[in-house]
Each structure stands twice: as C-alpha cells, then as structure tokens.
Amino acid sequence: MGAGTGTGVERYGDRWRASPAPPGEPVAAAQSATGAGAVSVDVRVHERAAGGTEWRVLRLRDATRGWDPPGLGAVAYDARGRLWVGAPKGIAVREASDGWRFVERDRLPVTDFTGIAAGAEGDVWLASRRGAVRVGDGTLEYRQGRRWLPSDDLAAVAVADDGTAWFATAAGVGGIGRRTPTHAGKAAGIEGAGGRKHRRTEWGDGGGARE
C-alpha cells in the first residue's frame, strides 16, 4: 500500500516510512502485490521495480497510440499485477506483457479522476468529481446520482474484501456493494421499467457500456 505526500512517497509494511520519490509533487501512489511502485507526479507517471530505488518515467503508448504525457492522474495495481492509470485523456491499462490498452475520453462519461482502487475479483473502481466508474467483466458502468452515493463529488475510493467500493464524498462516506446477479434477477431487470425511470444520462445508472 502506498500514498503520495508533499515530501515523498510512504509505504506501509510493518509501519509507515518515508521513501524517496521522483522530483515534483506526488499526486497519487500505488504499490503492487509484488512490491513494485507507481507514482503520478505532475503530468507523468513514474514506476520503480520491487526492491529498487530508481524511478523511470513510463511512456503510456504503444506503436500506434497513447498519451505522453498523460496529464495529472490516479494510479493503481490490480490483483493480476496490471497497472491502471486514470487521466484527463482517459483510462490506460498496462498488461503483464507490458502492452497498453486505452479507453479514450470520448468513450467515457467522466475523466476528472481522483482515485482508483481494485478489488480481489478483478473489478476496478475509479472515483471522479462527477460520479464513479466501474470496469470489470468486459463492461464499463457509470454510477451517478444520490441513488448510489451521498454526493457525486468523490475524493477517494477503496475496495473492501467483500467487494464493496467505499468512497469519500463531499457529503460523507458512501459504499456501493458488489452483487452477483442471478438468472431470475437478470430477467426481472430486462422486463422491468425501473431502469428507464431512473435513467438520467446516456450512460444510465446501472446498465453499462461495453468497453
């Protein structure tokens, strides 16, 4: 676990301790299960190997597309060791093979991300100033409105062991639970009109757009 601070990056093992960071003001930090670290500093993302002390600037791009620099953003590692970056230009995911995948901002409901957190089951949640985005199971879902959280203005997110995504919002702490739908529940959702009644944006409140 890691955190970005004004004086560097701090890691939590048996205790909090200072860790040298790249020059600049850290915006966000993350640590993988293997001990690798990533820091968003100014408009770039830096990474350090597990047990290493040297930081290298990541180039968020492949042979044909990408962002360099990506802009201020949030960073997180998921349970599979993939690095996620949420930036004004969209979402970038680095696979274990070091290849990047991108979701451009014109395919997203929001891009003003303030935090990212990954759950044990593979779900990844992104907090923003205008609601939450969940990525998982080949879908991208937008959670917006008081039906889900006390406020859409989200400052941070953390995912509990039971899959609940907890958010620090401008109106207090709120959580969105992880539910595994049954066949009967899916049928009821398709046939019911409740979703249409509560749909306030093209992204809806509970359906989701395909990645």
Side-chain angles (χ1 to χ4, degrees):
M1 181 178 182
T5 72
T7 57
V9 177
E10 296 180 339
R11 296 182 299 184
Y12 183 76
D14 53 348
R15 59 188 176 86
W16 286 98
R17 57 187 181 274
S19 177
E25 181 100 10
V27 177
Q31 189 169 14
S32 73
T34 60
V39 184
S40 177
V41 179
D42 297 329
V43 296
R44 295 188 180 275
V45 177
H46 302 249
E47 189 175 42
R48 183 181 58 190
T53 58
E54 297 295 323
W55 293 92
R56 64 187 180 96
V57 176
L58 293 183
R59 303 184 73 85
L60 276 64
R61 63 182 309 109
D62 57 22
T64 60
R65 59 192 295 206
W67 316 314
D68 187 28
L72 281 170
V75 293
Y77 290 95
D78 65 14
R80 293 162 54 184
R82 298 180 300 179
L83 175 62
W84 292 71
V85 179
K89 297 182 180 181
I91 300 172
V93 186
R94 190 189 63 196
E95 302 288 349
S97 62
D98 281 344
W100 289 93
R101 290 191 297 118
F102 301 95
V103 183
E104 305 288 347
R105 60 185 173 191
D106 60 358
R107 297 179 58 199
L108 293 166
V110 292
T111 56
D112 52 347
F113 298 116
T114 56
I116 308 179
E121 299 299 320
D123 294 357
V124 175
W125 287 91
L126 297 96
S128 83
R129 294 300 182 188
R130 293 180 292 146
V133 173
R134 173 188 171 273
V135 182
D137 302 324
T139 61
L140 186 149
E141 299 170 352
Y142 183 36
R143 300 292 188 250
Q144 175 261 337
R146 294 188 63 185
R147 176 183 179 188
W148 297 103
L149 293 167
S151 169
D152 288 335
D153 188 354
L154 312 179
V157 56
V159 180
D161 291 341
D162 65 359
T164 300
W166 291 98
F167 296 88
T169 85
V173 176
I176 300 176
R178 187 177 191 276
R179 294 181 295 178
T180 302
T182 63
H183 289 296
K186 289 180 180 179
I190 293 172
E191 295 174 1
R196 291 191 296 273
K197 180 184 296 185
H198 293 286
R199 190 177 294 274
R200 291 183 294 277
T201 73
E202 62 177 306
W203 299 90
D205 280 330
R210 290 283 173 187
E211 281 189 82

